[in-house]
Amino acid sequence: MDKVLIRELRIDTVIGIYDWEKQIHQSLLLDLDMAWDNRLPGSTDDYRHALCYETVSKRIVELVTAQPIELIETVAEMTANCLMTEFGVLWVKVRVMKPGAVPSATAVGVEIERGHC
């Protein structure tokens, strides 16, 4: 299976369940693994057949920052749904990490896989 990868996409947004979290921006780090047939863009060197990292990244940032969200699980589901419906990705793995959420951990997070190849 071919994949297009985006690692540690940093998104500063309002995220959390506590009242104090709803008053500040916090960083999330997203890792995206997206099934994408890279044979045609790879053999033709034609951008039109590639999954554009920049376009995907901008759309996910826009999606996650559009409104306050309480759970990183929601961020993961929204991201997976967007990638599948708007970009035609058939399978995706989304990892959402929230650095500093627990004092004794570097980060906490969730990882989901949706779709099929």
Side-chain angles (χ1 to χ4, degrees):
M1 169 182 23
D2 296 349
K3 296 178 188 174
V4 172
L5 309 173
I6 297 175
R7 292 290 177 257
E8 294 189 10
L9 176 62
R10 181 176 296 276
I11 303 176
D12 293 322
T13 192
V14 177
I15 181 83
I17 60 170
Y18 300 111
D19 288 338
W20 65 267
E21 289 182 296
K22 296 175 185 198
Q23 306 302 316
I24 64 169
H25 281 83
Q26 298 182 75
S27 293
L28 299 176
L29 298 174
L30 276 66
D31 288 341
L32 309 175
D33 292 24
M34 300 163 283
W36 192 262
D37 189 342
N38 287 311
R39 288 175 289 191
L40 187 56
S43 64
T44 63
D45 200 31
D46 189 338
Y47 167 81
R48 293 175 297 165
H49 303 296
L51 181 60
C52 178
Y53 320 116
E54 182 179 18
T55 303
V56 168
S57 296
K58 285 182 178 180
R59 177 63 182 116
I60 298 305
V61 169
E62 176 185 89
L63 178 72
V64 174
T65 60
Q67 63 187 20
I69 300 171
E70 291 193 346
L71 302 175
I72 58 175
E73 291 86 348
T74 303
V75 172
E77 288 292 345
M78 288 172 51
T79 299
N81 184 57
C82 175
L83 293 169
M84 295 174 76
T85 59
E86 294 182 29
F87 292 94
V89 172
L90 298 178
W91 171 89
V92 64
K93 178 165 61 172
V94 177
R95 176 182 290 171
V96 180
M97 302 299 291
K98 187 175 178 185
V102 174
S104 58
T106 302
V108 298
V110 299
E111 181 176 274
I112 65 170
E113 292 185 39
R114 297 294 180 263
H116 61 281
C117 298

